[in-house]
Amino acid sequence: DAGITQSPRYKITETGRQVTLMCHQTWSHSYMFWYRQDLGHGLRLIYYSAAADITDKGEVPDGYVVSRSKTENFPLTLESATRSQTSVYFCASRQGTDTQYFGPGTRLTVL
Amino acid sequence: QQQVKQSPQSLIVQKGGIPIINCAYENTAFDYFPWYQQFPGKGPALLIAIRPDVSEKKEGRFTISFNKSAKQFSLHIMDSQPGDSATYFCAATSGSARQLTFGSGTQLTVLP
């Protein structure tokens, strides 16, 4: 059982390029979340989704776009990457309880 | 605006010591307070959690103390081991989506 996976695990890109980070979960959890982790800030919520085709903004949504056409997938797109978006990105999911289950993360570097 | 404030930023203890990590929150709508543990290169994982109707919760060597009137809660690790070396995040949950608001994290090192 894979649980929740993220790809790629590492990505280097250049300023202005579009980047998509993938998140896939095998549990059929209704809720999915995207966080970014930066030193001194902990994890901050970017976007979340309550179900397919239902998404909402979190604390730091600017510069990011999400979609959720299928329950199991929740891609995060940086339409025009900036250096300030260099970070570690975590996807999470939950169903029923308050516990969120996190993926292994994607380390993104924007040059 | 940081709604959950965590301290200290880093902590070093000897094996067997009792590290204590403190958090304070502002939003009274928070109604669930988990602690997450994160090892290098991994995603955070739930360690222990408490609801505001209890003052203490213990699971193994980990204890949460909760002070609702002061809007503070803390994590105590009894008989700490080198394997407990990790980053610890406090968090708080609110809203129908149960989204998490995290503290800034504490890097714990337990020396052998």
Side-chain angles (χ1 to χ4, degrees), chain A residues 9 31 33 35 37 40-43 45 48 59 90 94 98-100 102-104, chain B residues 1 32 36 38 41-44 46 51 89 93 96-100 102-104:
Chain A
R9 293 294 314 278
Y31 284 90
F33 305 84
Y35 296 88
Q37 182 175 13
H41 291 279
L43 288 88
L45 182 63
Y48 65 95
E59 180 185 353
F90 287 99
R94 75 165 190 88
D98 285 313
T99 303
Q100 289 189 22
F102 285 79
Chain B
Q1 180 183 358
Y32 176 74
Y36 279 79
Q38 184 182 30
K42 305 291 186 183
L46 179 67
R51 299 195 185 276
F89 293 96
T93 299
S96 58
R98 313 306 288 157
Q99 55 262 45
L100 289 164
F102 282 88
S104 55

Side-chain angles (χ1 to χ4, degrees), chain B residues 64-76:
Chain B
I64 300 178
S65 297
F66 189 86
N67 185 330
K68 187 175 181 179
S69 61
K71 292 188 284 187
Q72 295 175 347
F73 58 110
S74 60
L75 176 70
H76 301 232

Side-chain angles (χ1 to χ4, degrees), chain A residues 67-88:
Chain A
S67 62
R68 194 165 176 207
S69 57
K70 294 183 178 181
T71 300
E72 60 266 30
N73 297 323
F74 191 37
L76 176 73
T77 297
L78 290 66
E79 293 192 304
S80 179
T82 65
R83 290 200 180 95
S84 65
Q85 292 178 310
T86 292
S87 186
V88 182

Side-chain angles (χ1 to χ4, degrees), chain B residues 33-84:
Chain B
F33 300 87
W35 286 87
Y36 279 79
Q37 181 187 54
Q38 184 182 30
F39 292 104
K42 305 291 186 183
L46 179 67
L47 182 64
I48 186 173
I50 196 168
R51 299 195 185 276
D53 53 344
V54 299
S55 60
E56 183 176 282
K57 183 172 182 181
K58 183 179 293 187
E59 288 186 1
R61 296 183 294 107
F62 301 92
T63 300
I64 300 178
S65 297
F66 189 86
N67 185 330
K68 187 175 181 179
S69 61
K71 292 188 284 187
Q72 295 175 347
F73 58 110
S74 60
L75 176 70
H76 301 232
I77 306 175
M78 307 300 290
D79 187 27
S80 59
Q81 302 295 313
D84 296 329

